[in-house]
Amino acid sequence: MKKKYLTIAVASTLALSMLSTSCIGSYTMTNNLLSWNRNVGNKFVNEVVFFAFWILPVYEIAVLADTIVLNSIEFWSGNNPLTASTSRVVDGQSGRYLVCQDPEGYTIKNLDDKNAAEVRLNFNADDNAWDIIDPATGEAVRMMTFVDDNHIAVPSPDGSDMIVELSHAGAFAYQQAVVAAANGSRID
């Protein structure tokens, strides 16, 4: 009986919220919870946790918080408080990395090598460019600038900018220029 009233309350709140703010919202809290649930263990463990969270009203509370508070904040301010910063562990070819996203860019930390420096990438909206932040000095070093939808400007081995097409051929040409410069020759 208690579950029935909670379900009715959630449905009513959802309906009233949509009428009062006329937005659906991103449901960030609920989606983050579901995403976490998908990665708890194997599919059987994930299913047990899923049902347990429905019985213990974890999902209902997440939907309610998203509906009443977070989606309303997102509608009126344009920003969802939960999307300010997100983190993920990524398994790469050379180890595991913690990638943290914030409004300015990304911080990447090698979880396998504790002595490795963090890498910071910032997006500069004024220049439409990505910068790498030197961990020793804190100085921004330009990594690439978007020229248009199909081209970027990247530093060439001689220090000038090289315009590279955003394609396999463009990436290959840039790679060949870097290899040639490392070997002391030049490719035109």
Side-chain angles (χ1 to χ4, degrees), residues 70-98:
L70 299 173
N71 288 348
S72 296
I73 292 171
E74 183 178 2
F75 176 75
W76 292 108
S77 72
N79 297 315
N80 188 309
L82 293 182
T83 59
S85 178
T86 58
S87 300
R88 286 211 164 109
V89 174
V90 176
D91 292 319
Q93 290 180 338
S94 59
R96 296 185 66 172
Y97 300 90
L98 176 64

Side-chain angles (χ1 to χ4, degrees), residues 34-121:
L34 287 168
S35 178
W36 172 83
N37 187 180
R38 286 184 191 105
N39 297 307
V40 171
N42 64 34
K43 66 181 182 179
F44 301 108
V45 173
N46 294 348
E47 190 69 11
V48 168
V49 171
F50 179 77
F51 281 119
F53 278 12
W54 273 115
I55 293 168
L56 297 173
V58 174
Y59 285 120
E60 290 92 334
I61 291 168
V63 168
L64 192 63
D66 267 332
T67 303
I68 294 174
V69 180
L70 299 173
N71 288 348
S72 296
I73 292 171
E74 183 178 2
F75 176 75
W76 292 108
S77 72
N79 297 315
N80 188 309
L82 293 182
T83 59
S85 178
T86 58
S87 300
R88 286 211 164 109
V89 174
V90 176
D91 292 319
Q93 290 180 338
S94 59
R96 296 185 66 172
Y97 300 90
L98 176 64
V99 180
C100 299
Q101 176 189 2
D102 59 49
E104 286 81 38
Y106 298 91
T107 302
I108 304 167
K109 181 176 181 168
N110 187 329
L111 296 176
D112 295 334
D113 183 359
K114 301 298 180 197
N115 296 325
E118 287 185 356
V119 174
R120 177 70 195 168
L121 303 171

Side-chain angles (χ1 to χ4, degrees), residues 164-187:
V164 177
E165 181 180 312
L166 293 173
S167 66
H168 290 291
F172 184 72
Y174 181 68
Q175 179 185 18
Q176 292 301 312
V178 171
V179 168
N183 292 331
S185 60
R186 182 181 164 127
I187 293 179

